[in-house]
Amino acid sequence: MNNRHYNIYFHTHTVSGIVISVVLFVIFFAGSFSFFRDEIINWERSESTAITREIQLDYNNALDNLDKKYILHGRNITISKPNIEKRVAVYMEGTRDTLAPEKQKDGQFFYLDTESFKSYTYEESYSLGELLYRLHFFAQIPYPVGYYLSGFTALFFLFAIVTGVLLHWNKIVSNFYMFRPKEKLKTLWTDAHTALGMIGLPFQFVYAVTGAFFMIKLLIVAPAVMALYDGDESKLYKELEYNDVDHPFEYKKLANPFSINDLVAKTKSNWKDFEITRVIIQNYGDVNMHVTVEGELPSHTKFTAIGKVIYRIADGKEIAKKNPITQTSYLDVVKNVLYRIHFGDYGGYALKIISFVLGIISCFVIISGVMIWLVARQKNNLPEKKKRFNAAVVRIYLAICLSMYPITALAFIGSKIFYPLSQSDLFKIYFGGWLLLTVFFILKKNDAFTNKFCLISGSILGFLIPITNGIITGNWFWNSFMRNEIQIFFIDVFWIVLASITLYIAYNLKPVQPKAV
């Protein structure tokens, strides 16, 4: 590689990496915990449920209960299961009966407990798992600023990955096996950055591409909507099969009784191991009532296998059917694969744990890249003012990034002691505590102290998480294991293992004395 190309790749890699370093660290750290979002939600609520994407609900009783509270006649109702938990998401449009009272014309969205049929608003159902999941794409920042920030960060990260590979291409094998911890400080950070960067390269590339796609796809799709669909996005959604065929409201009450449970059971019987993930009811109680029962085969059976049956309730006939085995379209694959590989929900706990480890490795790659940048700019011939400025920048970076570990552990403890916490109270604990810790470390002006304090305090708090759960609920991790409450057991043991590793690292860290550059 000639010097000109090397310099282009080097500066592009350095600039793109430094500019996004803090934001990228937050994305990967929160995103790593998001692999266990469902487990965190169930641990926080002291609930355990079957580890399946299938909706487990007595639809008839649930709808009878909702009818008493909301009056369902004429409404379109969608019941889905976004997470593996005891609650399902229910979205009801306002009634299409123009003669109905005004209060029935309001739409509703809430979560419904599948056993007690108790409903919860989004704010009431908010959890630490949801906070961490949404933090990894900055949803707490008003839309669309947070989405675009995370999306363009992922795009810049893609540039950093590609230029980093090109930069190390000629020595990619030899550098991978090279680690010299006793050499000068810049060499230590460079070796760690290169080796761990190569280990996590496929993982990072996938998440850079899919993250950018999810967050800034609107900017990509918008020109197509304007050019091909005359600005009518509903036509695009219909083309992508996101909108169902609309069945008009007939203003006649349905005479014959119906059972959604029977329709769901009938749909399941069509294909072995078929799991129901969504039920859509149009024109509830009207003579033109239709029910769509959707689902999919487990990923170990077929990676993309989406099927559905549409029933006309008046005569009980199937008016449309999609076979998940033989009728999987290219569109289904495109829509499903990106989500599957991003969320890592197809390989059980083994894949989630591997993804978590690779996510944390990515966090270390980001930190080591920042440290390389600092050490390279602390040369003797650099003015003292610039040296202090560079050190201050890295101090702020480290304070923001490293304090995420203890504050995340503290939030677990707080969410259990004060359960149920409101969304605003969770924000106060997490973001308020994060801000205080960050300011403290910035004022302390000691990067080694920041690193060690975060590792040790995070470890101690991590050990306290299963202890807190046991004291508050009496559900010690050995009890949850015996009762087969795997999600609760997993989070307790996960924190014991994670805290043990970080405590070991903290007490084996030895300050490296930089040699003359």
Side-chain angles (χ1 to χ4, degrees):
M1 183 187 300
N2 61 50
N3 285 339
R4 182 174 178 273
H5 288 165
Y6 180 89
N7 288 333
I8 290 172
Y9 298 146
F10 177 80
H11 290 297
T12 304
H13 180 73
T14 303
V15 172
S16 61
I18 288 295
V19 167
I20 64 173
S21 57
V22 172
V23 177
L24 194 61
F25 184 97
V26 174
I27 289 173
F28 269 106
F29 189 88
S32 296
F33 279 88
S34 296
F35 287 114
F36 308 120
R37 174 179 59 168
D38 299 338
E39 286 75 16
I40 294 170
I41 290 172
N42 286 287
W43 177 89
E44 187 177 353
R45 296 172 183 165
S46 298
E47 297 176 347
S48 188
T49 186
I51 302 175
T52 174
R53 297 179 61 85
E54 183 168 37
I55 299 173
Q56 296 177 315
L57 175 69
D58 184 334
Y59 296 90
N60 295 346
N61 281 337
L63 290 169
D64 287 343
N65 276 271
L66 293 176
D67 195 23
K68 294 172 185 175
K69 186 174 181 180
Y70 298 104
I71 305 179
L72 302 183
H73 182 75
R75 294 181 185 267
N76 290 348
I77 305 164
T78 301
I79 301 173
S80 61
K81 187 178 180 181
N83 305 317
I84 299 176
E85 56 178 295
K86 284 177 66 178
R87 300 176 189 179
V88 293
V90 179
Y91 173 65
M92 300 190 304
E93 297 179 16
T95 182
R96 304 175 81 174
D97 186 351
T98 56
L99 302 177
E102 283 298 318
K103 66 178 182 179
Q104 295 180 33
K105 296 178 182 178
D106 295 330
Q108 302 284 343
F109 175 82
F110 52 87
Y111 292 95
L112 184 72
D113 189 291
T114 55
E115 293 180 0
S116 67
F117 302 133
K118 183 180 178 181
S119 59
Y120 303 84
T121 64
Y122 176 76
E123 289 74 19
E124 291 171 338
S125 199
Y126 203 83
S127 65
L128 180 57
E130 183 73 1
L131 184 152
L132 290 169
Y133 167 69
R134 298 186 73 79
L135 177 59
H136 99 279
F137 54 92
F138 300 110
Q140 287 85 0
I141 300 174
Y143 179 83
V145 177
Y147 282 39
Y148 289 164
L149 175 62
S150 60
F152 281 107
T153 298
L155 193 60
F156 275 98
F157 183 46
L158 189 59
F159 291 148
I161 291 171
V162 173
T163 52
V165 170
L166 293 173
L167 195 62
H168 296 286
W169 184 256
N170 291 335
K171 296 182 178 179
I172 208 163
V173 176
S174 59
N175 284 358
F176 178 78
Y177 292 103
M178 189 179 296
F179 189 66
R180 297 159 288 182
K182 294 183 180 180
E183 293 294 324
K184 60 185 179 181
L185 197 57
K186 184 182 177 184
T187 303
L188 168 64
W189 287 118
T190 301
D191 288 349
H193 184 76
T194 304
L196 292 175
M198 289 309 304
I199 290 172
L201 178 64
F203 173 87
Q204 293 158 10
F205 182 82
V206 165
Y207 280 86
V209 172
T210 56
F213 170 77
F214 291 141
M215 293 297 104
I216 58 177
K217 62 185 175 184
L218 181 62
L219 297 178
I220 301 170
V221 170
V225 173
M226 297 302 294
L228 302 176
Y229 300 96
D230 299 321
D232 186 356
E233 62 181 28
S234 63
K235 293 180 180 178
L236 173 64
Y237 291 144
K238 186 176 181 180
E239 193 105 346
L240 295 176
E241 297 181 4
Y242 285 120
N243 286 351
D244 292 301
V245 176
D246 184 45
H247 302 283
F249 187 69
E250 298 288 351
Y251 291 91
K252 297 177 183 177
K253 282 193 175 184
L254 186 66
N256 53 308
F258 59 89
S259 170
I260 304 298
N261 287 347
D262 291 346
L263 297 180
V264 169
K266 183 179 179 182
T267 305
K268 277 182 65 65
S269 66
N270 285 311
W271 307 286
K272 184 181 178 182
D273 298 327
F274 190 67
E275 297 179 344
I276 307 302
T277 56
R278 190 164 68 149
V279 174
I280 303 169
I281 302 170
Q282 288 191 1
N283 305 319
Y284 187 93
D286 186 72
V287 70
N288 202 28
M289 176 178 171
H290 286 71
V291 175
T292 303
V293 182
E294 295 183 0
E296 59 189 16
L297 295 176
S299 56
H300 64 266
T301 302
K302 188 179 180 185
F303 197 72
T304 298
I306 300 168
K308 65 179 179 181
V309 180
I310 302 176
Y311 299 94
R312 185 168 56 214
I313 302 303
D315 54 13
K317 288 186 177 179
E318 298 179 4
I319 62 170
K321 188 174 185 178
K322 181 178 182 180
N323 190 312
I325 301 171
T326 61
Q327 291 180 278
T328 300
S329 65
Y330 174 75
L331 184 60
D332 290 330
V333 174
V334 171
K335 285 161 58 178
N336 195 49
V337 167
L338 288 177
Y339 281 94
R340 278 281 168 90
I341 62 176
H342 188 86
F343 290 110
D345 62 352
Y346 54 89
Y349 280 112
L351 181 61
K352 287 185 177 184
I353 292 169
I354 291 170
S355 298
F356 176 85
V357 172
L358 290 172
I360 297 302
I361 285 175
S362 301
C363 291
F364 186 83
V365 170
I366 296 162
I367 291 293
S368 60
V370 172
M371 297 309 296
I372 292 170
W373 179 87
L374 174 64
V375 174
R377 281 153 185 78
Q378 296 298 76
K379 295 178 181 178
N380 293 332
N381 61 349
L382 201 68
E384 192 63 31
K385 187 177 180 181
K386 283 192 174 182
K387 283 185 179 181
R388 289 199 301 269
F389 174 78
N390 292 339
V393 169
V394 172
R395 187 183 312 124
I396 294 169
Y397 277 20
L398 292 179
I400 295 171
C401 296
L402 297 180
S403 56
M404 283 192 77
Y405 180 45
I407 202 60
T408 300
L410 181 64
F412 270 81
I413 295 172
S415 66
K416 179 58 68 171
I417 293 175
F418 302 109
Y419 179 82
L421 277 173
S422 66
Q423 182 179 2
S424 60
D425 288 337
L426 263 175
F427 281 10
K428 288 174 186 175
I429 290 176
Y430 197 94
F431 295 111
W434 190 7
L435 177 62
L436 290 174
L437 273 180
T438 300
V439 172
F440 170 69
F441 293 135
I442 291 172
L443 296 177
K444 183 69 178 174
K445 296 183 179 180
N446 187 327
D447 294 342
F449 172 83
T450 299
N451 186 29
K452 200 150 192 174
F453 182 91
C454 288
L455 285 173
I456 294 174
S457 62
S459 300
I460 293 170
L461 291 169
F463 284 123
L464 290 175
I465 289 170
I467 294 173
T468 303
N469 185 35
I471 293 172
I472 297 295
T473 66
N475 198 8
W476 299 93
F477 66 87
W478 54 84
N479 293 331
S480 57
F481 178 77
M482 295 298 290
R483 291 196 290 264
N484 201 34
E485 296 174 342
I486 299 302
Q487 293 155 318
I488 299 173
F489 167 78
F490 177 84
I491 292 298
D492 282 342
V493 173
F494 165 80
W495 271 109
I496 292 172
V497 173
L498 181 61
S500 300
I501 293 171
T502 52
L503 192 63
Y504 175 82
I505 292 171
Y507 279 103
N508 283 274
L509 281 177
K510 295 180 181 178
V512 180
Q513 299 299 328
K515 297 182 180 181
V517 179

